Amino acid sequence: MADFDDITGWRDELKAFRQSDEGKAYFEEYAIGSGKIAPKMPFENALELAGLMLRHQEIYQALLKGIEWGRLLESRPNFFPDNPDYWDLNPLESHETRNDFMDWYAFKAEVPYSLGALNTAEFLAELVESKELPGLRSSETEAYVRENLATFLEFAGKQPE
């Protein structure tokens, strides 16, 4: 069973896993061109990942930068990579931190690797942080997921660790 209370060393652990044969196989199993579709992530795992992103300071700060970037893009609909300020303002390190953390969570929780499901969990954290949903464990959040995000999440329970 994975311990998500202390995430010390998660980056090194992810790096080592990615370099291992097991890690390479894990991340490639459902990759584009594999001919396989990843099973849906259990809703409970998505809630757990979103909660971790809101709880652990480094990941939370990266999440906030991602939210801020999203707001900037919404306020400037014609702001594209060819704009001279685009890459200066784009929080690339924040994107990398969040993506790496989601990858680390997926293998530690032993859920099939699905970028869509992981991004769904991140989106839930963003919706809660921006007060668009009242909380991860609210009935409104579950209803929202069932109506809008069920493509990536299933409700049968949490993946065994």
Side-chain angles (χ1 to χ4, degrees):
M1 176 184 248
D3 176 15
F4 294 114
D5 289 327
D6 180 5
I7 62 169
T8 305
W10 72 268
R11 287 179 188 274
D12 293 333
E13 195 173 2
L14 175 63
K15 182 179 178 183
F17 185 70
R18 281 183 173 150
Q19 293 172 348
S20 72
D21 290 340
E22 178 186 1
K24 290 173 186 169
Y26 174 77
F27 289 114
E28 292 172 8
E29 183 173 8
Y30 299 106
I32 294 173
S34 69
K36 296 170 74 176
I37 297 173
K40 294 180 179 185
M41 177 189 284
F43 178 59
E44 286 298 318
N45 285 98
L47 293 180
E48 180 176 59
L49 173 55
L52 292 170
M53 296 181 88
L54 293 167
R55 186 171 76 225
H56 291 292
Q57 194 58 33
E58 174 191 9
I59 313 309
Y60 178 67
Q61 291 304 314
L63 183 74
L64 292 178
K65 287 180 183 177
I67 291 169
E68 184 179 314
W69 176 246
R71 287 181 181 144
L72 175 75
L73 292 177
E74 284 179 19
S75 72
R76 298 173 69 179
N78 295 317
F79 190 57
F80 297 114
D82 62 345
N83 184 297
D85 294 330
Y86 185 92
W87 293 108
D88 290 334
L89 297 174
N90 189 327
L92 295 174
E93 187 176 307
S94 160
H95 298 306
E96 184 177 302
T97 296
R98 287 175 286 137
N99 289 337
D100 286 349
F101 186 77
M102 290 186 289
D103 287 358
W104 175 80
Y105 172 84
F107 95 80
K108 291 297 286 185
E110 299 178 359
V111 295
Y113 185 74
S114 167
L115 199 51
L118 295 169
N119 287 334
T120 297
E122 178 184 23
F123 184 58
L124 288 175
E126 291 173 357
L127 291 174
V128 168
E129 178 58 31
S130 60
K131 308 293 187 239
E132 294 177 53
L133 288 172
L136 289 174
R137 301 234 173 240
S138 69
S139 58
E140 294 90 342
T141 297
E142 183 173 337
Y144 179 86
V145 170
R146 287 183 184 275
E147 185 172 327
N148 300 292
L149 304 172
T151 301
F152 300 104
L153 304 177
E154 59 96 8
F155 293 87
K158 185 176 172 185
Q159 184 81 15
E161 295 180 67

